[in-house]
């Protein structure tokens, strides 16, 4: 239902598409300038999140960016916290991407990463 509503709202935007995929194992084969990961990664196991992170590089265009935005308070039935999600991303990508913006408030954290040019 949500996917159909989003498609209807954006039907005139030819550069916008929607897909229902498994984030850890079914990323599209397209190239993207921007990927927004907001309020979802802490639902993944740490292992699935690491797989997803490593797969992101394959679909980011040159200088592609990733925005991470997550709630920080601990939730007892989430596999990870927002900080764990962001810290894992930093640990795996700090040599491949540059953090160009970060902000942290009491309840949320946002990080913007940009893909580095590979030699």
């Amino acid at each position: 239902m949500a996917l159909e509503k989003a498609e209807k709202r954006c039907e005139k935007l030819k550069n916008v598409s929607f897909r229902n995929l498994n984030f850890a194992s079914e990323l599209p084969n397209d190239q993207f300038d921007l990927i927004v990961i907001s309020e979802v990664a802490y639902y993944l196991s740490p292992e699935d999140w690491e797989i997803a992170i490593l797969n992101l590089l394959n679909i980011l265009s040159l200088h592609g960016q990733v925005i991470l935005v997550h709630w920080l308070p601990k939730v007892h039935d989430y596999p990870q916290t927002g900080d764990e999600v962001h810290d894992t991303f930093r640990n795996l990508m700090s040599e491949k991407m540059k953090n160009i913006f970060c902000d942290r408030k009491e309840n949320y954290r946002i990080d913007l990463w940009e893909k580095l040019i590979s030699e």
Side-chain angles (χ1 to χ4, degrees):
M1 184 80 147
L3 205 55
E4 291 85 11
K5 284 183 179 182
E7 288 172 337
K8 181 71 176 163
R9 287 183 188 145
C10 297
E11 66 188 353
K12 293 181 182 178
L13 303 173
K14 300 305 175 198
N15 63 331
V16 176
S17 64
F18 298 90
R19 297 180 192 143
N20 184 6
L21 303 171
N22 179 311
F23 186 66
S25 62
E26 296 180 324
L27 293 178
N29 292 324
D30 302 332
Q31 291 286 289
F32 296 92
D33 297 323
L34 176 65
I35 298 172
V36 178
I37 303 170
S38 179
E39 304 295 329
V40 297
Y42 41 58
Y43 293 111
L44 298 174
S45 70
E47 297 79 18
D48 283 346
W49 176 228
E50 287 184 20
I51 291 167
I53 292 169
L54 296 173
N55 287 332
L56 286 175
L57 272 182
N58 298 327
I59 63 171
L60 273 178
S61 63
L62 186 65
H63 297 294
Q65 297 179 332
V66 174
I67 297 177
L68 302 173
V69 184
H70 289 88
W71 175 257
L72 296 177
K74 187 168 180 68
V75 178
H76 77 280
D77 59 347
Y78 290 5
Q80 302 184 83
T81 67
D83 277 326
E84 289 169 336
V85 164
H86 287 244
D87 292 345
T88 299
F89 193 94
R90 181 193 66 234
N91 292 340
L92 290 175
M93 299 305 257
S94 62
E95 293 182 14
K96 299 170 180 72
M97 299 187 78
K98 176 182 177 182
N99 186 279
I100 58 174
F101 177 82
C102 60
D103 192 20
R104 181 187 178 88
K105 302 296 184 202
E106 182 180 346
N107 291 324
Y108 77 90
R109 177 175 173 180
I110 182 169
D111 284 285
L112 174 60
W113 292 84
E114 185 171 89
K115 186 176 181 180
L116 297 173
I117 299 172
S118 55
E119 303 195 29

